[in-house]
Amino acid sequence: MDFTLTEEQRMIRDVAREFAQQEIAPVAAQHDESGEFPLETVRKMGELGLLGIEVPEEYGGAGLDTVAYVLALEEISKADAAHGTIMSVCNSLFCHGLLHFGTEEQKQKFLVPVASGKWIGAYSLTEPGSGSDAAGMRTRAVQEGNEYIINGRKSWVTNGPVADAIVLFAVTDPRAEPRHRGITAFVIETDKPGFVQGKVEPKLGIRASATCECLYENYRCPAENRLGAEGEGFKIAMTVLDAGRIGIAAQAVGIAQAAYEASVQYTKERYAFGRPIAEFQAIQFKLADMATRIEAARLLTLNAALAKERSKKTGERYTKLASMAKLFASETAMWVAHQAVQIHGGMGYSKELPIERYFRDAKITEIYEGTSEIQRLVIARNVLREIGHAL
Ligand code: CAA
């Protein structure tokens, strides 16, 4: 596996790093405290091409590859995981779906404004009664002439309160067998009647990334805004999540790296028993394990990114590698953040330092875009399929 970076990949990583450290890091704690969506910095990220990194330039994006995407997302998430969430939803969950399944008209109407940062995109699969069991959704779309009438309630919509357009999944054929073949994808315009923003979720972490319920009350969706064919929605949802999970892996690596770097610095400055705590073996072993796990998580993430790049030529799925990267990186972020709090002692528990924020932010990476349990299920199913034992 060749992980040598190209000139373009290095360039976007450096642009993201500089922007993250100069513009995002100084406001991260304040946005975490207030929960206010950081519209100003998000718009600037759009101007830098960070919201549509893999989208071709003709559709408003930066025209780069998946490796460039994960490098940039790690840098942004290292400064602030909430910005990382907003960036990953726009890039993977919205743009990826439109780029691969959208018509030319849909690309012009929805992809161009989101990839260029003028609009905010979102993705809406989860419902109050269906999270891990995504095919158990109940939101209904009934065709009437040239429109679909949509009714239902979606939950945990990241970017929901500020989204201009949302990729939504709804049941068009409740009698379909198996049930996932009755699900269809749509692109929703949030300024149209029948779209109602529900309660905003108060969250443990990534507090500046707005999350809400979205209600559909006789929302009339033009048939031309259907994404893909009727009944293809579940496969579109899963294909998009494969890409999304690589992004969450990169976000997790960024959070872990931030917690690790702060810890290394602290161990040099903090004295106990007359010595910097870096000189105690109990601390050294923690730093060694943190560094090793982060390196492994980063390599798995790059490996999945390269597999996604290859799939652009071969069409081969990279589901297993994306889930492996997401599983390992998210559990690494949680573990590293936990060690960082422990190394910092009372200061790790205090709001004076960002360590407790890393700890709170890391947790979501083990939950959204498929819990760690779902990633293990996906990996196991793929491993068994490879030896001819499909479940
Ligand atoms: N790519 C393409 N197709 C896929 C696929 C993939 N990765 N995974 C499954 N499929 C296809 C299967 O081939 C099958 O197709 P056929 O009709 O041809 O048989 C079909 O989809 C059904 O597959 P399964 O039988 O495996 O489906 P399942 O009901 O057992 O569910 C699951 C599988 C992996 C558990 C899936 O439901 C899942 O991923 N659940 C987690 C959902 C999730 O991640 N939600 C997060 C939402 S986004 C979010 O977090 C909020 C946010 O805004 C950030």
Side-chain angles (χ1 to χ4, degrees):
M1 205 63 65
D2 183 6
F3 293 123
T4 316
L5 301 185
T6 64
E7 188 56 40
E8 279 183 328
Q9 290 162 348
R10 273 201 301 274
M11 196 188 71
I12 191 83
R13 181 200 58 193
D14 294 347
V15 165
R17 180 179 293 166
E18 199 182 320
F19 179 76
Q21 292 309 318
Q22 287 183 3
E23 308 249 359
I24 296 178
V27 298
Q30 178 194 323
H31 279 281
D32 172 60
E33 184 69 25
S34 69
E36 188 193 337
F37 187 85
L39 194 58
E40 199 182 318
T41 38
V42 170
R43 291 277 184 241
K44 286 187 191 165
M45 281 166 67
E47 286 162 21
L48 289 172
L50 295 174
L51 299 183
I53 291 183
E54 292 179 70
V55 176
E57 287 171 270
E58 63 191 286
Y59 295 121
L64 299 173
D65 66 4
T66 313
V67 171
Y69 172 50
V70 298
L71 294 170
L73 186 47
E74 179 186 331
E75 293 299 334
I76 298 294
S77 305
K78 189 177 148 194
D80 179 33
H83 279 79
T85 300
I86 297 159
M87 175 174 165
S88 84
V89 169
C90 287
N91 276 278
S92 327
L93 296 191
F94 190 90
C95 290
H96 183 76
L98 262 295
L99 188 61
H100 289 274
F101 300 101
T103 61
E104 184 55 33
E105 272 181 9
Q106 289 170 344
K107 286 178 187 162
Q108 294 298 339
K109 189 169 172 190
F110 301 115
L111 179 60
V112 171
V114 173
S116 58
K118 293 185 185 69
W119 283 14
I120 307 274
Y123 171 96
S124 196
L125 182 69
T126 304
E127 298 186 1
S130 62
S132 291
D133 180 17
M137 69 179 65
R138 299 177 67 171
T139 295
R140 283 281 275 129
V142 178
Q143 188 160 18
E144 258 184 42
N146 274 342
E147 291 177 324
Y148 287 85
I149 314 300
I150 302 181
N151 281 286
R153 178 187 292 259
K154 291 284 180 180
S155 50
W156 293 105
V157 187
T158 305
N159 290 351
V162 289
D164 299 282
I166 302 178
V167 172
L168 170 89
F169 300 90
V171 176
T172 42
D173 180 3
R175 285 178 301 279
E177 200 48 60
R179 60 191 176 151
H180 65 260
R181 294 201 187 144
I183 294 170
T184 302
F186 301 90
V187 189
I188 299 301
E189 296 165 271
T190 58
D191 61 352
K192 297 283 187 287
F195 175 83
V196 181
Q197 188 200 302
K199 79 172 162 88
V200 174
E201 294 294 345
K203 305 192 297 288
L204 173 74
I206 55 161
R207 287 176 33 75
S209 78
T211 312
C212 70
E213 282 198 332
C214 293
L215 282 64
Y216 295 87
E217 296 172 351
N218 290 321
Y219 177 92
R220 305 182 86 85
C221 180
E224 69 208 30
N225 289 359
R226 191 187 67 218
L227 190 61
E230 271 200 18
E232 267 185 16
F234 191 75
K235 283 195 184 176
I236 293 175
M238 293 298 117
T239 307
V240 167
L241 280 173
D242 283 347
R245 287 167 183 167
I246 300 175
I248 301 307
Q251 179 189 32
V253 173
I255 299 168
Q257 184 68 27
Y260 165 73
E261 285 181 16
S263 299
V264 171
Q265 190 60 31
Y266 189 74
T267 63
K268 290 193 293 183
E269 291 162 3
R270 174 71 181 178
Y271 275 67
F273 307 102
R275 295 193 269 166
I277 61 171
E279 291 182 16
F280 294 104
Q281 205 174 50
I283 296 291
Q284 290 170 1
F285 281 9
K286 281 192 200 301
L287 295 180
D289 286 344
M290 289 160 92
T292 305
R293 291 192 194 198
I294 293 170
E295 196 60 24
R298 186 177 289 115
L299 290 174
L300 271 178
T301 305
L302 285 167
N303 192 40
L306 288 174
K308 180 164 175 272
E309 274 308 303
R310 283 196 302 278
S311 94
K312 288 176 186 169
K313 293 189 193 105
T314 63
E316 212 176 301
R317 266 164 60 175
Y318 50 90
T319 305
K320 182 183 78 175
L321 295 179
S323 283
M324 283 179 164
K326 201 253 183 198
L327 172 66
F328 191 79
S330 60
E331 294 195 344
T332 294
M334 198 63 238
W335 186 84
V336 167
H338 176 87
Q339 300 307 317
V341 173
Q342 198 63 18
I343 288 171
H344 283 78
M347 288 313 293
Y349 204 65
S350 163
K351 283 204 175 283
E352 266 183 51
L353 294 183
I355 311 302
E356 58 85 36
R357 172 161 59 86
Y358 302 145
F359 184 74
R360 288 184 287 107
D361 287 347
K363 185 60 206 171
I364 191 60
T365 65
E366 293 182 321
I367 298 174
Y368 64 11
E369 299 201 28
T371 60
S372 289
E373 290 75 11
I374 289 295
Q375 306 312 324
R376 287 189 167 88
L377 183 144
V378 169
I379 295 163
R381 283 182 180 180
N382 278 278
V383 165
L384 289 167
R385 199 175 295 125
E386 281 164 15
I387 59 158
H389 187 102
L391 290 176

